[in-house]
Amino acid sequence: MSVVGERLQPTIFELSRPGRGGGKIPHPPADALDRIPPGSRRTTPPALPELAEPEVTRHFVNLSQLNYSVDTGFYPLGSCTMKYNPKLNEWAARLPGFANLHPMAPDSVAQGTLALLWELEGMLAEISGMDAVTLQPAAGAQGELTGILMVRAYHRARGDTARDEVLVPDSSHGTNPATASMAGFRTITIPSAPDGGVDIDAFKAALGPRTAAIMITNPSTLGLFERRISELLDATHAAGALAYMDGANLNAILGRFRPGDAGFDVMHFNTHKTFSTPHGGGGPGAGPVGVRRVLEPYLPAPRVIREADGTFRLETSRERPMSIGRVRSFFGSTGVLVRAYAYIRAHGGTGLHEVSDDAVLAANYLRARLRGTYQVPFDRPCKHEFVASAADIKHRTGVRTLDIAKRLIDKGYHPPTIYFPLTVEEGMLIEPTETESLETLDAFAEAMIEIAHEAETDPGLVTSAPHVAPVRRLDEATAARQPNLRWRGMTGAQTPCPD
Amino acid sequence: MPYGPHAADDRARMLETIGIDTVDALFEDIPEGLRAGPLHLDEPEPELLLTARLAALAGRNRVDLASFLGAGAYRHWTPAVVDQMLLRGEWYTAYTPYQPEVSQGTLQSIYEYQSLLAALTGLDVVSASHYDGGAATAEAALMACRATRRDRILVSRAVHPHYRQTLETYAEGAGLEVDELPLVAEGPLAGTTDLGALERLLAEPDRPVAGVVAAQPNVLGLLEAMPEIGSLAHLAGALFVAVIEPVSLAVLAPPGEYGADIAAGEGQPLGIPLGYGGPYLGILACTDPLIRQIAGRLVGMTADLDGTRAFVMTMRAREQDIRREKAASNICTNQALLALAASIYLSAIGPHGLRDVAATGAARATELEAALAAAGAPRLHAGPYLNELVVRVPGARAVHARLLDRGILAGIPTADLLPDEPSLSDGLLVCATEVTTSDEIARFAAALAAELDPVATGGAA
Amino acid sequence: MVPGDLRYTKEHEWIRLEGDEAVVGITRFAADQLGDIVFVELPAPGRALEAHATFGVVESVKAVSDLFAPVAGEVIAINDALAGAPELVNSDPYGEGWMLRVRLADAAAVEALLDPSAYEQLVAEG
């Protein structure tokens, strides 16, 4: 039985019929567009489909049922923190007071939102040990770019224009080196040590007068806390460089480790990971950035100011002359930030501490349950996620991690992250999160053990998985060689516009 | 912990399996000197209390005003079916569709979104989304530089200032030069991009231009001579980036018809709430020859082993997780749920509905223009507009503030939006959409008349 | 067994000497490592190549790899068939999957590259 629905759907273009739909808006006067010069007008109506509301509803309901989601079942996707998305947050974001507020409304009519945003900045600063926070970036990657551009501005303001390198471990998320390139830096990739941490000697050898920053994920993408973090940060600062922390794995260390206290100069948060804002099939997220004092002048503008009388306003651009500028229009992805605010308020400091405790406990529990069956490199406790490897299984049976992942679908689970980080052969990065029950964890462990057994006794069953899904393995090669990225066949609305 | 699932002895059983006594043992690898103390945050708030807090905060915003504010984000009506669909957990609690067999919902909806925006823009390739209009414009400029191997961008000052500022931030990182095109100050073309200046800047020797960026309608609501701008750009070997507004594309010539190579814009008007700036929807589209330069995810149609039609993310090797430091963009998380909202909106409203939305906005704007002119605030410019316009108001900032006290959000003073344009020191940028009522227009006009000529109208009170 | 009439590089390119010209591609080992190849980015004819510098990119569904010039020279021609059929690199890497034809700066430089058994040893060592 498939864990997702199996009713594949035609496209909206195939459902379109002339004359369907309409009636939702009164017709405008016939001469409404007469004052627009013909040269600026469309010559043909746009080729959009015509559907009636019942068809629209069935289409999107049926499509949604083809998706696996956190609301469907366990989603142990390492590095993504697929925790439960509280429904309260959806209610909060939809309150008309929040949802209908124009981004350029005067401060005096936006006091509720400004108060929330101001409080959220403070909460994130407290959680991270940073001195100041910007809520502007729309995603973690945009937060990274914001942070690294601030580092760039910092060095230039000091007259230090020779620093054109950023150091990044080989286990890093691809956004880190991509960010460095977008900010005009060369990436120097540093190998990991055999124990999964950074190779501190290689890092020190690469640090120098050309280093602008290091970018570290802590805990690392292997789910391991960087024990040598103080040594690494001291060496970085001694070389005149700044330290950026990729905060993707913050779920492991809430209330246990504050990056700002430890010496990181700048970090980003992923609200859609640690703070439960929903992933939405790929987004939206938000990527607030926290900085220590040294980088505060360079933060994107405007930020929220609290006046002595308790009212709130946005900064004027004159108040932050050294800002790197904007990274997007308007203030930020406020609807996402409202959700993160609600989440933090619901938990408080003690609740967030428990979140990390339970996230780390769950990961170590699964690691203990699976270590007899799969290889678990790095013989030490993990944090909120761990890497398992099917390299042995592959050598013995030919069954690869990809096949195991597809077979998990047959067992009713979304697979973990596979082949990331790149440093582990046939790797699977498993992150259960704190919102999964023990029964769920046990059932998942049993499914994984079953598949390992199937790999020995009936490998063909695994390599041809999934068997119970609406579609089987896809021809990705043809999709890339001969891209079909849009529907062709609609040639314009079939019924003429009443023009 | 409000969402924690553990029953009384679950944690003890897990600890036992792991072989430790307390969960603290799992954090011993954090050096002692770096272990954090308790977080100084307020006590956890149970849902009953938290809902009251959130409602109170939302209640402190004034969203009951008669609003004529546009300037890049627009008040529109959204059919109820959009949010009903978006509330389905299979949409919003799903992740990026890395396992296509269990993500056909998201994948097909993105393919449909790409197709809908291709139809609206008249272009070939549409990215699965960017953060917002500003970021999309910045990515479009970077694309133009990559494709032409040049490093200079010309952007009209009639492109939204936030987009220009975002572009400058991204350009700084990429080492690109950005020059601004001035606006025509007077006469029938006042408020539009100065084509003479464009020609001169394109002709500068040894400074070849990668891309020319102009908006349609522009930030002042005016219609630009987009075909002419495109021709000038192409003659100089530059690409043409059009910044567009999607509802207007139901009635205005789309970028594909006037020679744009790339289109960028804000999809918020397509069923997405104003929400104080986000999450919004960055639209990015291009012609086929630029397919390899476009940043962001792409979903393509393919078939599975059995020949069943299906959808999958494709051309992935361009993206950051594979390309790493050589990726065109670092974008990972995008605005997928908002692209879905746009698809549902467009499906629900259809081509005639969208045209009616655009045309109704135009009709209301015509009404608004007449009412404000009669109240003593005529249009500042002469050129054609769709549904957004600048009216001349002496002491605009003070008038705006007093109208706000009367419950009217009279657009935005152009002196605030574009402080560097002296010709705009005394104006209000106002807009009308299909939700603007004649009653609101009448109230605005009456209040404005009272502000501008208290004697004639019997007092400002 | 790799073709005996070619020379090889550590980056898994092959080169076939033809007088003062040469043809360049990637080896079957490289193509197998990449998986289904979906796109090959090649320089325009006329472009100068520096030995060991990147001249293009080969993309598969899940991976990307730089292409390195085995020797210095000038690009005379590229295999246009790869634009529509990149899978030729997988099916016939030494024949129809060729990538560049180059006019060599120094034909002797080809001899200095790995011979077939040295390359096979490199691959075997992993």
Side-chain angles (χ1 to χ4, degrees), chain B residues 149 292 315-318 322-323 326, chain C residues 39 57 59-64 66:
Chain B
R149 297 184 198 271
R292 301 216 62 86
M315 296 177 65
R316 297 265 297 114
R318 299 164 308 120
I322 296 174
R323 210 57 164 230
K326 301 204 173 124
Chain C
F39 181 73
V57 172
E59 273 181 28
S60 68
V61 172
K62 295 285 204 283
V64 66
D66 282 332

Side-chain angles (χ1 to χ4, degrees), chain A residues 231-247:
Chain A
E231 204 185 327
L232 182 62
L233 294 175
D234 288 343
T236 300
H237 292 130
L242 295 184
Y244 183 98
M245 193 181 101
D246 182 325

Side-chain angles (χ1 to χ4, degrees), chain A residues 7-16 49 51-67, chain B residues 81 85 88 91 104-113 116 309 311 340 343-348:
Chain A
R7 294 160 59 89
L8 295 177
Q9 297 296 302
T11 64
I12 44 179
F13 308 98
E14 293 160 301
L15 294 171
S16 174
L51 285 80
E53 185 174 313
E55 286 146 356
V56 173
T57 299
R58 283 204 180 135
H59 181 73
F60 288 101
V61 166
N62 278 290
L63 278 189
S64 79
Q65 291 175 339
L66 297 172
N67 270 1
Chain B
V81 67
M85 295 298 100
R88 294 185 68 84
W91 286 125
Q104 286 299 298
T106 293
L107 287 163
Q108 181 167 336
S109 74
I110 297 173
Y111 179 86
E112 291 176 353
Y113 165 79
L116 290 165
R309 182 176 80 185
F311 300 91
L340 173 65
S343 292
I344 302 170
Y345 173 81
L346 289 170
S347 301

